[in-house]
């Protein structure tokens, strides 16, 4: 068994060595690196077909095929999710060309066919929804959701259809009289029930009365050219009454008291899933505007549950529609350039800075070196030249002929997408550790702590998006670097930081580019080393002097361009302004909403009757009735 394993590993190693040395395999790998995968596979497939016994070709072919098909499948799935069906279909078929049994490619082609069919059905359903043919649209969406329940666009259309077709839990009924033309009515100090009897007979309406409605309650009303529904609202409002519409021709009249409102008003519970706004702020808005108490919020789901009357629910829907809008976002294209210019020029001859003459003598043995500053009398009499030593600084002469020009252009080009009134920060550079040592006087306790200092480019932006597609930007820019390192006696280091910092507030249009520049650091250093006396001559002095001129200039330039990704959507006029009833009740719009401004006239002085009394109706003392079918109707 061990012998066979050794033989197998030896054969495998030999095949790998052979494969690496084979020129065909080298060529196919070169083609693969150039992106010509099809040619590489075709070449290996042809070689394998011509030489079936070559295991190196077969193994290389299957390895390359596995790599290529995996890459093509990933690209095809990415294209399919972005609805690029033709390109994805081509990649799936390319996979099946080399691997006919590949299940992922076969499934991908089937998925593309289904996606194309679903998109056609979704387009048809969307047209039906826009034409308000909701039942037909639901039938078109049914097969799409049956085959792919997670289809996002189909679910959105289904939710829209449900919102349009679902009947409210409590229907908002209104009285509809048989008289559609404006009428005039003049009654003075008559029983309340008589007024309702007159309206009921003339408009074919039915009125029921709660037991607590006073039978002897009297009222006075004078109206000109008003609708029947507005007349009923006026009578109810001036007599502290309320109505509950049972159907289009029947209403229940009851006193407008908190107890009766609790007994007769229908309540509705509705859940609002807030998509963009903060659920707590939305709840506070509803409590403040509608005086609703029964509100529950779930911050995890951004859910608001409200219980109130149907009219209050409708008002809450309009308030939420005006507030729950997508928060605007902006893409900030930022370019930060640090433009630097350095010039160094060294020119001249540098002479030794010092020269020394010393006598060395006092040697005690032959061949021994003497001692500087010591000279014996025999050595002095001998006047040996080796006793005198001349010392100069090294080098003796230095010719400086150098000029250096350098330009630097450091560029950072980030693109930041940020929401309205949110801060975004960029730091490009290093975090330098700073060690702080704390020593206790008593006990010799020493502790160290490490903090980090940000050095480099730091940019902070905060956008404010306006309705006119303008973007206000609060910009803070700081560029810093380490200019010096100062060692400390205890072994630590202290960094000296050079910084250039600016902050400003801009207001730009969408796509407008603003340049912020002028953060300049300009240094001009000129150094000269001269031989005293000789270096001061006007022309000859250049031979006895050396100059070094250094010019350094850097400037920070910031370019910023806002690109609106999502702007503020102004609600339409119907959502921004709507009738909210009265302070005591949100049951309807303003009194006389359907009437002309002069519908309700002041009570005139007593005078003759305007027309005969309504048949079957008693004319109250001191009052006049203008019948609905009489001469006062507007023709």
């Amino acid at each position: 068994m061990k012998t066979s394993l050794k033989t197998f590993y030896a054969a495998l190693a030999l095949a790998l060595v052979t494969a690496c040395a084979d020129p065909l395999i080298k060529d196919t790998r070169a083609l693969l690196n150039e992106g010509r995968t099809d040619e590489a596979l075709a070449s290996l497939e042809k070689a394998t077909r011509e030489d079936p016994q070559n295991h190196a070709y077969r193994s290389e072919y299957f390895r390359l095929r596995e790599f290529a098909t995996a890459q093509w499948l990933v690209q095809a799935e990415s294209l399919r999710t972005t609805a690029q069906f033709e390109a994805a279909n081509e990649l799936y078929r390319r996979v099946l060309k080399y691997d006919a049994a590949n299940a992922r490619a076969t499934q991908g082609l089937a998925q593309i066919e289904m996606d194309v069919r679903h998109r056609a059905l979704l387009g048809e359903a969307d047209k039906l929804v826009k034409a308000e043919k909701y039942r037909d649209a639901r039938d078109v969406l049914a097969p799409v959701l049956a085959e792919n329940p997670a289809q996002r666009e189909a679910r959105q259309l289904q939710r829209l259809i449900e919102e349009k077709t679902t009947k409210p839990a409590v229907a908002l009924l209104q009285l509809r009289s048989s008289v559609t033309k404006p009428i005039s009515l003049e009654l003075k100090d008559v029983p309340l029930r008589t007024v309702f009897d007159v309206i009921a007979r003339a408009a074919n309406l039915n009125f029921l009365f709660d037991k607590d409605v006073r039978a002897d309650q009297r009222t006075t009303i004078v109206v000109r050219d008003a609708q029947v529904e507005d007349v009923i609202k006026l009578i109810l409002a001036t007599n502290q009454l309320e109505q509950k519409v049972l159907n289009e021709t029947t209403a229940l009249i009851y006193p407008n008291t908190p107890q009766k409102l609790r007994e007769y008003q229908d309540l509705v519970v509705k859940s609002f899933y807030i998509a963009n706004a903060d659920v707590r702020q939305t709840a506070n808005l509803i409590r403040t505007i509608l005086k609703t108490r029964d509100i529950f919020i779930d911050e995890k789901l951004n859910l608001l549950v409200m219980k109130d009357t149907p009219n209050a629910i409708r008002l809450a829907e309009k308030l939420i529609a005006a507030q729950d809008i997508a928060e605007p976002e902006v893409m900030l294209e930022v370019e930060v350039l640090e433009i630097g210019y350095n010039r160094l020029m060294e020119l001249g001859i540098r002479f030794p800075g010092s020269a020394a003459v010393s006598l060395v003598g006092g040697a005690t043995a032959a061949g021994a070196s003497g001692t500087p500053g010591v000279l014996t009398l025999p050595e002095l009499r001998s006047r040996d030249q080796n006793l005198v030593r001349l010392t100069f600084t090294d080098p003796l002469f230095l010719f400086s002929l150098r000029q250096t020009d350098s330009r630097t252009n450091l560029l950072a080009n980030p693109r930041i997408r940020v929401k309205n009134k949110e801060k975004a920060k960029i730091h490009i550079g290093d975090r330098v550790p700073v060690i702080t040592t704390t020593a206790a006087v008593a006990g010799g306790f020493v502790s160290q702590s490490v903090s980090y200092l940000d050095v480099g480019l730091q940019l902070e932006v905060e956008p404010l998006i306006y309705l006119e597609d303008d973007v206000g930007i609060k910009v803070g820019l700081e560029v810093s670097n380490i200019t010096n390192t100062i060692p400390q006696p205890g072994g630590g280091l202290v960094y000296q930081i050079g910084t250039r910092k600016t902050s400003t507030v801009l207001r730009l249009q969408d796509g407008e580019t603003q340049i912020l520049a002028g953060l300049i650091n300009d240094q001009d250093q000129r150094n000269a080393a001269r031989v005293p006396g000789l270096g001061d001559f006007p022309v000859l002095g250049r031979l006895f002097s050396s100059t070094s001129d250094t010019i350094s200039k850097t400037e920070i330039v910031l370019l910023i361009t806002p690109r609106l990704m999502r702007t503020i959507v102004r609600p339409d006029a119907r959502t921004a302004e709507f009738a909210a009833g009265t302070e005591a009740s949100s049951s309807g719009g303003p009194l006389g909403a359907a009437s002309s401004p002069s519908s309700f006239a002041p009570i005139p002085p007593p005078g003759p009757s305007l027309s005969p009394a309504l048949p079957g109706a008693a004319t109250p003392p001191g009052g006049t009735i203008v019948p609905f079918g009489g001469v006062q109707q507007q023709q």
Side-chain angles (χ1 to χ4, degrees):
M1 181 67 179
K2 292 182 179 179
T3 304
S4 62
L5 286 176
K6 290 181 179 179
T7 304
F8 172 75
Y9 287 135
L12 180 61
L14 181 61
L16 291 176
V17 172
T18 306
C20 294
D22 192 284
L24 175 63
I25 295 179
K26 288 185 178 180
D27 293 341
T28 55
R29 291 182 179 178
L31 291 174
L32 179 64
N33 293 332
E34 295 174 3
R36 300 158 63 182
T37 309
D38 285 333
E39 297 181 20
L41 283 172
S43 178
L44 282 173
E45 185 180 15
K46 179 181 178 182
T48 303
R49 188 170 57 253
E50 293 176 352
D51 189 3
Q53 303 301 323
N54 193 318
H55 299 288
Y57 290 166
R58 288 177 59 83
S59 61
E60 182 68 15
Y61 171 74
F62 286 116
R63 186 192 68 82
L64 180 57
R65 189 187 72 173
E66 191 70 22
F67 171 78
T69 54
Q71 188 177 18
W72 289 337
L73 286 172
V74 171
Q75 295 176 359
E77 291 174 1
S78 177
L79 291 171
R80 184 179 60 81
T81 54
T82 56
Q84 301 181 40
F85 299 127
E86 293 184 2
N89 185 72
E90 181 182 351
L91 287 174
Y92 281 131
R93 295 193 180 280
R94 188 183 301 177
V95 171
L96 292 176
K97 175 182 177 183
Y98 296 101
D99 187 4
N102 192 290
R104 288 179 61 186
T106 305
Q107 184 180 1
L109 288 175
Q111 186 68 35
I112 287 178
E113 182 181 355
M114 185 176 67
D115 289 345
V116 171
R117 188 175 70 257
H118 286 179
R119 284 196 169 271
L121 294 174
L122 287 173
E124 183 181 353
D126 185 57
K127 292 180 181 179
L128 292 173
V129 169
K130 292 179 180 178
E132 298 183 359
K133 298 179 180 180
Y134 302 115
R135 181 175 299 177
D136 297 338
R138 185 187 289 111
D139 296 338
V140 172
L141 284 178
V144 178
L145 293 173
E147 296 179 0
N148 186 7
Q151 221 288 342
R152 183 176 181 180
E153 296 179 5
R155 291 170 63 89
Q156 291 178 348
L157 278 176
Q158 184 187 38
R159 184 163 54 250
L160 178 62
I161 292 172
E162 290 177 353
E163 291 176 357
K164 297 293 185 180
T165 57
T166 301
K167 295 183 179 180
V170 177
L172 292 176
L173 300 176
Q174 294 183 354
L175 289 176
R176 299 187 181 277
S177 65
S178 59
V179 178
T180 59
K181 297 179 180 179
I183 56 94
S184 298
L185 181 65
E186 182 178 344
L187 298 171
K188 183 178 180 182
D189 195 23
V190 297
L192 183 64
R193 297 200 179 191
T194 302
V195 177
F196 280 105
D197 288 341
V198 171
I199 297 175
R201 293 180 183 180
N204 294 324
L205 298 176
N206 302 315
F207 295 100
L208 305 177
F209 295 89
D210 182 83
K211 61 183 181 61
D212 293 331
V213 176
R214 292 166 44 194
D216 58 344
Q217 185 174 354
R218 307 179 75 84
T219 185
T220 298
I221 180 171
V222 177
V223 294
R224 300 281 188 272
D225 302 333
Q227 297 291 336
V228 174
E229 293 80 4
D230 296 335
V231 174
I232 296 174
K233 288 182 181 180
L234 180 62
I235 296 172
L236 295 173
T238 55
N239 292 275
Q240 291 77 48
L241 298 175
E242 190 58 79
Q243 67 174 345
K244 179 178 182 179
V245 180
L246 305 179
N247 54 48
E248 294 184 353
T249 59
T250 306
L252 173 65
I253 309 300
Y254 59 91
N256 188 1
T257 61
Q259 178 64 29
K260 293 298 181 180
L261 290 175
R262 285 194 294 269
E263 291 180 5
Y264 288 113
Q265 277 192 338
D266 296 317
L267 299 180
V268 178
V269 175
K270 184 163 184 177
S271 300
F272 297 94
Y273 287 90
I274 311 300
N276 303 289
D278 182 74
V279 66
R280 285 190 173 275
Q281 293 183 356
T282 305
N284 292 334
L285 172 68
I286 294 176
R287 289 192 185 100
T288 303
I289 302 300
L290 301 182
K291 306 297 187 292
T292 300
R293 297 181 180 179
D294 299 332
I295 294 180
F296 172 79
I297 60 174
D298 187 342
E299 294 187 20
K300 292 183 179 180
L301 299 177
N302 224 30
L303 170 67
L304 184 146
V305 183
M306 171 183 174
K307 184 178 78 170
D308 210 319
T309 62
N311 288 299
I313 295 293
R314 300 289 88 79
L315 296 178
E317 290 176 350
K318 294 182 179 180
L319 288 175
I320 293 174
Q323 187 195 24
D324 189 23
I325 57 178
E327 194 166 359
E329 289 184 89
V330 62
M331 177 77 76
L332 298 178
E333 299 178 357
V334 182
E335 294 185 43
V336 183
L337 297 90
E338 183 176 4
I339 304 172
Y341 170 76
N342 296 305
R343 182 177 183 181
L344 173 64
M345 176 177 286
E346 293 182 357
L347 179 64
I349 303 174
R350 187 177 301 175
F351 288 87
S354 62
V357 180
S358 62
L359 298 176
V360 180
T364 58
S369 61
T371 304
V374 177
L375 186 66
T376 62
L377 185 58
E379 291 173 339
L380 179 62
R381 289 177 179 177
S382 66
R383 298 178 181 178
D384 187 1
Q385 60 181 1
N386 292 327
L387 298 177
V388 180
R389 181 176 297 177
L390 299 178
T391 306
F392 297 91
T393 56
D394 186 45
L396 183 60
F397 292 98
L398 178 65
F399 294 92
S400 299
L401 298 171
R402 184 176 67 166
Q403 179 176 346
T404 303
D405 292 333
S406 61
R407 296 177 181 270
T408 58
N409 188 351
L410 305 179
L411 173 63
N413 187 17
R415 302 182 68 189
I416 318 165
R417 182 166 179 170
V418 58
K419 292 198 300 184
N420 189 29
K421 299 182 181 180
E422 295 290 340
K423 291 183 179 180
K425 297 182 180 180
I426 297 175
H427 176 220
I428 303 174
D430 301 320
R431 303 197 71 197
V432 180
V434 178
I435 301 176
T436 304
T437 303
T438 305
V441 178
F445 175 76
V446 178
S447 65
Q448 289 185 339
S449 61
V450 180
S451 59
Y452 290 90
L453 178 66
D454 292 334
V455 178
L457 169 68
Q458 298 184 61
L459 177 65
E460 182 174 329
V461 291
E462 181 180 354
L464 176 60
I465 302 173
Y466 298 93
L467 282 172
E468 296 81 7
D469 288 345
D470 284 0
V471 182
I473 309 174
K474 187 182 296 184
V475 182
L477 174 65
E478 181 178 1
V479 180
S480 58
N481 61 326
I482 299 176
T483 57
N484 192 14
T485 302
I486 305 173
Q488 295 298 303
L493 295 176
V494 175
Y495 301 102
Q496 181 177 347
I497 307 297
T499 181
R500 279 168 286 176
K501 185 176 182 180
T502 183
S503 61
T504 184
V505 180
L506 311 172
R507 179 161 178 169
L508 306 176
Q509 294 180 355
D510 182 21
E512 179 183 359
T513 300
Q514 178 63 46
I515 301 177
L516 302 177
L519 295 176
I520 301 174
N521 182 13
D522 195 353
Q523 297 181 358
D524 190 351
Q525 298 180 355
R526 301 179 183 272
N527 300 319
R530 299 185 178 91
V531 176
L534 297 177
D536 295 333
F537 287 99
V539 178
L540 189 63
R542 299 293 296 179
L543 299 176
F544 299 95
S545 63
S546 175
T547 59
S548 175
D549 299 338
T550 303
I551 299 175
S552 177
K553 182 177 181 180
T554 59
E555 180 180 5
I556 302 297
V557 179
L558 171 67
L559 294 85
I560 186 167
T561 305
R563 307 281 186 188
L564 284 174
M565 309 302 293
R566 184 186 297 116
T567 186
I568 300 178
V569 180
R570 188 191 297 268
D572 56 17
R574 291 177 298 177
T575 305
E577 181 180 356
F578 50 86
T582 63
E583 183 69 22
S585 174
S586 60
S587 60
L591 294 176
S595 305
S596 60
S598 60
S599 296
F600 305 113
I603 300 176
S609 174
L610 297 178
S611 64
L614 184 69
T619 303
T624 305
I625 301 176
V626 179
F628 292 85
V631 295
Q632 290 298 319
Q633 289 196 29
Q634 298 291 332
Q635 299 297 327

